[in-house]
């Protein structure tokens, strides 16, 4: 039984080979959510200016243009609403870092 289960789940960490890359899955899920958000906003007339702008102050997922206005977008994905909405997950500190990153972008 142990042998067949091990064949299904793969080698133990540090035994027969490297552990599977588990960080790639959440990163891909986040990238897909950003793609869907960019498409949704583009369908409503906004145009994409930049993705994943990073600076010392923080990160902005999407920078979009709506006419003459720049729109800074933070994409939040929740699998379910058990712990609140995506908007509710943005803390005061995250809002502060986001605002600083937007100011840095404008400079």
């Amino acid at each position: 039984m142990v042998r067949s289960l091990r064949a299904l789940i793969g080698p133990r960490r540090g035994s027969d080979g490297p552990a599977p890359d588990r960080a790639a899955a959440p990163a891909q899920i986040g990238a897909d959510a950003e793609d869907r958000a960019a498409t949704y906003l583009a369908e409503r007339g906004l145009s994409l200016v930049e993705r994943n702008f990073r600076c010392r102050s923080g990160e902005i997922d999407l920078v979009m243009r709506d006419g003459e206005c720049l729109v800074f977008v933070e994409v939040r994905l929740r699998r379910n609403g058990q712990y609140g909405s995506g908007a509710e997950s943005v803390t005061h500190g995250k809002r502060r870092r986001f605002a600083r990153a937007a100011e840095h972008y404008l400079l």
Side-chain angles (χ1 to χ4, degrees):
M1 180 65 174
V2 172
R3 177 179 263 171
S4 62
L5 181 60
R6 184 62 53 209
L8 289 173
I9 63 173
R12 288 188 189 128
R13 210 174 250 203
S15 61
D16 301 14
D21 183 10
R22 296 172 201 234
Q28 185 60 49
I29 291 168
D32 291 345
E34 289 175 8
D35 287 342
R36 287 193 307 271
T39 299
Y40 175 85
L41 293 169
E43 289 171 351
R44 281 145 186 85
L46 284 78
S47 58
L48 181 64
V49 176
E50 188 166 347
R51 295 180 76 118
N52 299 316
F53 170 78
R54 289 182 176 88
C55 64
R56 288 183 69 181
S57 302
E59 177 188 8
I60 300 172
D61 293 330
L62 303 170
V63 180
M64 309 285 290
R65 181 172 297 281
D66 185 12
E68 293 186 19
C69 295
L70 285 177
V71 179
F72 300 99
V73 181
E74 170 69 14
V75 177
R76 305 296 281 195
L77 176 67
R78 290 294 177 118
R79 294 191 186 276
N80 62 49
Q82 181 177 359
Y83 299 107
S85 70
E88 292 171 324
S89 73
V90 180
T91 64
H92 177 72
K94 176 64 178 177
R95 285 192 302 270
R96 187 174 56 243
R97 286 189 303 276
F98 189 81
R100 284 186 194 146
E103 288 174 357
H104 185 82
Y105 184 87
L106 294 170
L107 295 178

